[in-house]
Amino acid sequence: MAKITIDDKVIEYSGNPNLIELAKENGIDIPHFCYHPALTISGNCRMCLVEVGTLCKNQQTGEYEKDDKGNIKVNFMPKPQPGCYQQVSDGMVIRTNSERIIEARKGVLEFTLANHPLDCPVCDQAGECVLQDYSFQYGFSRSQFIEKKRTYKKNEISPVLTQEMNRCIHCDRCARFTTEIAGESSFARTWRGNKMELSVLPGGTITHNYQGNMADICPVGALTITDFRFKSRVWFLNYGVTLCTSCGKGCSVMTSHKKGKVFRLKPVYNEKVNTYWMCDHGRLRYRFLNESRKSGHSAGGKKANFQSALSLAAEILKASKNIGVIASAKESLETCMVLSRFFREVAPTAHVDYRVDDAQVRDDRSLRPGELLRAKDPYPNSFGAREAGLLPGQGGATAIDILGAPEKFDAVVLFIDDHIIEAGDRLGNMSKAKNLIVLSPFESSLDSTAAVSFATRAYSETSGTYINIDGIRQKYCPVLPPLGDARDSWDILNQLSGLMGKSFGLDSIGKIRSHFKLGD
Amino acid sequence: MAINVRAKYLNKTEEMSFIDRLYLPAIVKGMFITMKHFLFTKAYTVEYPEERKPIAPRFRGRHVMKRDEMGRERCTACYCCQYSCPAECINIEAAEVTGDIRNNHPEDKYARVFEIELLRCIFCGFCQEACPKAAIYLEEFYELADYDDRSKYLLTKKEMMETEGKPVKYRV
Ligand code: SF4
Ligand code: SF4
Ligand code: SF4
Ligand code: FES
């Protein structure tokens, strides 16, 4: 096994690792701006300077030369080297915190800050800004730069991004992302040296669906997301890791929330699904978690407490022979399992279906054309719903049939999710349904006509499992407290089963997982 | 224990002499002290509110928000004061500077709402210390009492804002 020494720590490695990554894995931080593990190495910021040395070998004898104390002598290169594109080789000795390096970093930071405005009070990046952190950690508080700083106007370069060129440190990450990951060539470096600008090329526009990532990887506040602009300072936000539910891919995301309101989503590294990125479509749909949320149950358009709503629903289901069920693939695999069992054993019906979108009908598991992550299927758990068997039985009506003519059924159980609300007129006919039982985390016009309307928890407030288009199972946990009296869908179904005389006794997510053998 | 000791002391009665029983010497002595203070010493009291005591240069009274030399609002809604306030009584809402208010603000962001709940404020001055823009100061105004309306204790930006370099006209 090859070995290198970083700051007196002997590290074994195999293959051809990147020095910054290798050091990070071993708990040594090499500061960097322009290096990003998913992008090509550009080596322009020089923040990652390290001292590189090799063991001293006698050319004639082929033996290592030793000093007086018997240690092998190390020859250091006369100048510090950028760590990001340093080829690691066996026996190499790296110093990341020698006096020379500390001095060099100060110099680099002084240059980086030469044109950087003192914008932290205004800048949205403050608090999660790499330049801010490094200035505290490695920089010093004086500057010899007395000339005028270059200034630009704020520029909304696309509907998603706002650019403040004043703050740019020319690391080139955004331009590399655009060409390498998003595959567009409309955004690049223009002009040179001090006057360098990152700009949308004349006649071009940024149209790709991954612009938010450019703001994420921008180490400073030069690119920020317009939607989040001035909404909150980042140090007031709490963070929680969950999944994006806006398409079948199910990217890992982090919510930033405060007082129960979500302010933004950011991608979280997930090797198997989304690596470092997420799409703008999903990023900006966090709004559904805040807007028109339902916190209480209702019966016949009036507020009702949970128990009375529950017994009313049980009566309706007992009395009806012909029940239509439109499930939602936004519900977790656990809920789908309970739901499927409920309409097989407790209130048997063949008219159960989750497929309200065309992509689901085709069982389409492909990505949208030209997309990196976003799938055609707008539901995160279509695979799971299929696995749970939420499909029409013999002679059963499909979801589209039920949506088209709900009056044919004695009772309709309808799960309303953000996608079906967004799609607009899908629910147009539903007010004709005879005995409508709605389960939804969102308010809708059907609440007034529904016989019973339950408030369920949104995915950010509960735990569960999704199976994405690639068949990858992903669990998620609640990141926010539930709203008001909202219940988990599986909880409602389980309690209904009790009221209807065939109790499942599945009153926790753990019991459901072990009962349906979903692993723990 | 302590109470018992004191009770014992209070119960002690002394036999008064003839002179004591006359009371006159005691009255004369008392009048002498009163007249001494009345005629020969300077009064310590101040005829507030006509007269006021001078306050210390670093006195921390009610908050004032400053303008810069061009008359623009200094505060840029950075939330540093809100973050440092131990009483959590500052409420800020930031907004983008657009259109005709541009002349009023040096930066892109400004505080659309800036409120201080005076009843919760402990006048520690941390907000003043935290402010990177030298926008908020606790100055000499201290007459905060009011008798009819508690909503007056929600200090708004308008009430705090210095007008064109002149000190704020105080309400109450
Ligand atoms: S805008 Fe941000 S990511 Fe792009 S070059 Fe400037 S600092 Fe780097
Ligand atoms: S003086 Fe202290 S308590 Fe009052 S607003 Fe300022 S920081 Fe808060
Ligand atoms: S008063 Fe000062 S510290 Fe408070 S938000 Fe305004 S600029 Fe920031
Ligand atoms: S990270 Fe190595 S030069 Fe920028």
Side-chain angles (χ1 to χ4, degrees):
Chain A
M1 199 94 156
K3 275 185 198 140
I4 78 166
T5 314
I6 307 181
D7 292 346
D8 306 326
K9 190 169 175 181
V10 181
I11 293 168
E12 290 192 349
Y13 72 93
S14 57
N16 189 15
N18 180 287
L19 179 59
I20 293 185
E21 292 295 311
L22 186 65
K24 200 202 268 166
E25 276 161 29
N26 291 282
I28 297 164
D29 185 32
I30 301 179
H32 56 273
F33 290 120
C34 70
Y35 167 77
H36 189 281
L39 303 175
T40 52
I41 287 161
S42 153
N44 61 47
C45 73
R46 304 279 142 170
M47 191 59 206
C48 61
L49 293 177
V50 290
E51 275 193 281
V52 178
T54 40
L55 301 181
C56 228
K57 214 177 209 175
N58 192 318
Q59 291 298 325
Q60 270 93 44
T61 60
E63 277 181 11
Y64 289 120
E65 283 180 20
K66 306 222 164 138
D67 62 10
D68 311 338
K69 287 183 195 142
N71 296 329
I72 300 173
K73 269 199 208 161
V74 182
N75 266 349
F76 279 97
M77 290 197 198
K79 287 184 180 166
Q81 302 292 314
C84 60
Y85 63 71
Q86 184 58 51
Q87 284 288 319
V88 178
S89 66
D90 196 9
M92 198 173 251
V93 180
I94 307 283
R95 283 201 213 141
T96 73
N97 54 9
S98 63
E99 247 167 58
R100 244 176 108 200
I101 292 299
I102 290 168
E103 204 50 39
R105 275 181 197 148
K106 279 188 187 166
V108 168
L109 270 175
E110 199 184 335
F111 269 119
T112 310
L113 287 168
N115 266 315
H116 194 84
L118 200 56
D119 244 4
C120 305
V122 191
C123 180
D124 271 334
Q125 188 88 357
E128 50 184 21
C129 173
V130 182
L131 181 58
Q132 215 177 28
D133 294 349
Y134 287 169
S135 301
F136 271 113
Q137 210 173 339
Y138 305 111
F140 64 164
S141 48
R142 278 167 291 115
S143 169
Q144 296 159 47
F145 190 79
I146 50 165
E147 289 77 10
K148 236 178 136 92
K149 297 190 184 223
R150 63 190 161 87
T151 48
Y152 302 88
K153 279 227 170 76
K154 176 196 96 179
N155 188 3
E156 271 157 33
I157 55 170
S158 78
V160 182
L161 293 176
T162 301
Q163 187 188 35
E164 295 263 10
M165 241 348 258
N166 293 350
R167 301 178 190 150
C168 174
I169 58 165
H170 297 164
C171 74
D172 194 35
R173 273 182 178 185
C174 51
R176 273 178 288 149
F177 176 85
T178 314
T179 44
E180 291 164 19
I181 309 286
E184 270 189 11
S185 48
S186 51
F187 188 77
R189 284 180 286 183
T190 51
W191 305 98
R192 306 199 66 185
N194 191 34
K195 294 219 174 86
M196 197 214 280
E197 277 180 54
L198 276 291
S199 46
V200 184
L201 298 179
T205 43
I206 312 179
T207 54
H208 62 78
N209 190 16
Y210 298 88
Q211 297 165 23
N213 299 306
M214 292 160 71
D216 288 345
I217 58 173
C218 179
V220 293
L223 288 176
T224 50
I225 294 174
T226 312
D227 180 72
F228 183 63
R229 201 169 154 82
F230 305 156
K231 287 266 176 69
S232 170
R233 312 255 53 196
V234 295
W235 55 81
F236 292 120
L237 298 173
N238 302 312
Y239 298 91
V241 176
T242 177
L243 300 174
C244 172
T245 58
S246 295
C247 86
K249 192 78 181 178
C251 298
S252 292
V253 296
M254 181 173 76
T255 58
S256 306
H257 51 89
K258 183 170 81 177
K259 293 182 188 158
K261 281 244 177 297
V262 179
F263 281 75
R264 61 172 179 185
L265 298 180
K266 273 189 161 208
V268 172
Y269 179 70
N270 183 338
E271 195 188 346
K272 289 205 180 113
V273 181
N274 56 324
T275 64
Y276 298 91
W277 322 118
M278 76 180 292
C279 77
D280 296 338
H281 168 77
R283 189 188 290 263
L284 298 177
R285 275 179 97 253
Y286 71 86
R287 288 202 191 88
F288 275 99
L289 297 175
N290 300 339
E291 284 167 10
S292 25
R293 289 292 312 281
K294 196 154 71 173
S295 58
H297 317 281
S298 66
K302 287 194 208 74
K303 271 192 185 145
N305 70 13
F306 181 61
Q307 286 311 329
S308 61
L310 206 60
S311 43
L312 191 56
E315 271 168 37
I316 292 172
L317 289 176
K318 260 189 223 163
S320 338
K321 285 208 193 76
N322 194 11
I323 305 172
V325 182
I326 300 171
S328 160
K330 297 248 161 172
E331 297 289 341
S332 62
L333 178 61
E334 289 81 353
T335 300
C336 290
M337 287 289 187
V338 177
L339 185 68
S340 162
R341 183 172 165 202
F342 186 88
F343 287 106
R344 265 185 284 118
E345 295 174 11
V346 184
T349 174
H351 317 294
V352 183
D353 199 2
Y354 71 91
R355 300 167 302 175
V356 293
D357 193 89
D358 295 344
Q360 292 178 314
V361 176
R362 282 180 272 121
D363 194 18
D364 195 338
R365 291 178 191 167
S366 57
L367 298 181
R368 294 181 157 233
E371 292 272 354
L372 182 70
L373 297 169
R374 189 175 167 199
K376 282 189 186 143
D377 187 347
Y379 283 93
N381 196 29
S382 298
F383 213 134
R386 188 167 279 262
E387 185 177 307
L390 290 179
L391 287 169
Q394 278 257 285
T398 65
I400 309 264
D401 294 340
I402 306 174
L403 284 172
E407 63 276 12
K408 284 188 196 154
F409 300 89
D410 297 340
V412 177
V413 178
L414 172 67
F415 283 77
I416 301 181
D417 53 54
D418 45 341
H419 180 73
I420 207 162
I421 292 177
E422 203 178 33
D425 52 358
R426 291 276 174 87
L427 299 174
N429 285 333
M430 282 321 275
S431 49
K432 288 189 223 146
K434 267 181 242 152
N435 283 312
L436 185 61
I437 299 175
V438 170
L439 289 96
S440 173
F442 306 106
E443 278 173 356
S444 67
S445 54
L446 290 175
D447 287 344
S448 52
T449 54
V452 185
S453 172
F454 289 107
T456 59
R457 294 180 185 178
Y459 77 96
S460 56
E461 292 147 15
T462 176
S463 43
T465 313
Y466 283 156
I467 308 184
N468 83 348
I469 49 166
D470 304 318
I472 297 170
R473 273 165 198 260
Q474 300 194 90
K475 280 206 195 95
Y476 57 91
C477 297
V479 294
L480 287 167
L483 232 61
D485 195 25
R487 308 291 172 116
D488 281 311
S489 310
W490 53 258
D491 186 22
I492 295 172
L493 291 165
N494 178 50
Q495 298 206 28
L496 271 179
S497 75
L499 284 183
M500 294 174 70
K502 282 186 188 154
S503 179
F504 290 161
L506 298 173
D507 56 2
S508 76
I509 200 97
K511 279 191 193 160
I512 299 175
R513 280 183 186 150
S514 56
H515 181 271
F516 293 107
K517 307 204 169 46
L518 302 176
D520 44 26
Chain B
M1 198 21 193
I3 290 166
N4 289 345
V5 171
R6 191 146 164 255
K8 210 163 80 190
Y9 176 75
L10 285 176
N11 286 339
K12 202 170 89 180
T13 50
E14 268 176 42
E15 204 49 37
M16 283 202 282
S17 68
F18 174 72
I19 301 221
D20 285 342
R21 264 182 285 153
L22 264 183
Y23 287 112
L24 252 181
I27 288 174
V28 171
K29 201 170 152 194
M31 286 305 279
F32 175 73
I33 293 172
T34 307
M35 293 320 267
K36 189 177 85 185
H37 282 281
F38 184 53
L39 296 172
F40 304 109
T41 44
K42 198 172 159 285
Y44 288 109
T45 46
V46 175
E47 299 272 319
Y48 181 85
E50 288 82 23
E51 252 177 69
R52 277 151 206 260
K53 288 185 86 174
I55 53 171
R58 287 173 54 185
F59 181 80
R60 300 192 299 267
R62 211 198 62 178
H63 315 68
V64 173
M65 293 186 82
K66 299 284 183 184
R67 292 179 184 269
D68 66 4
E69 61 284 358
M70 291 166 73
R72 303 174 298 186
E73 292 176 10
R74 282 192 191 164
C75 172
T76 178
C78 71
Y79 290 74
C80 286
C81 51
Q82 194 192 83
Y83 188 63
S84 60
C85 176
E88 300 188 3
C89 63
I90 306 182
N91 174 31
I92 307 175
E93 261 175 52
E96 180 104 37
V97 175
T98 46
D100 27 327
I101 57 168
R102 271 205 171 279
N103 299 338
N104 241 337
H105 304 276
E107 312 275 3
D108 277 347
K109 186 169 68 163
Y110 79 109
R112 189 163 53 86
V113 175
F114 193 109
E115 294 166 340
I116 296 182
E117 283 179 54
L118 272 188
L119 288 178
R120 278 163 80 188
C121 174
I122 56 170
F123 297 91
C124 60
F126 281 12
C127 47
Q128 169 179 341
E129 221 168 293
C131 181
K133 293 279 178 186
I136 192 164
Y137 284 90
L138 277 73
E139 291 200 340
E140 64 276 350
F141 186 75
Y142 54 81
E143 288 152 318
L144 302 165
D146 203 343
Y147 53 86
D148 55 351
D149 187 1
R150 287 208 162 198
S151 68
K152 282 190 186 162
Y153 291 103
L154 191 69
L155 204 53
T156 61
K157 185 168 123 183
K158 208 169 149 211
E159 290 163 336
M160 278 184 278
M161 186 58 70
E162 190 186 46
T163 42
E164 312 303 337
K166 291 200 198 74
V168 199
K169 186 94 182 71
Y170 299 109
R171 74 194 161 104
V172 183

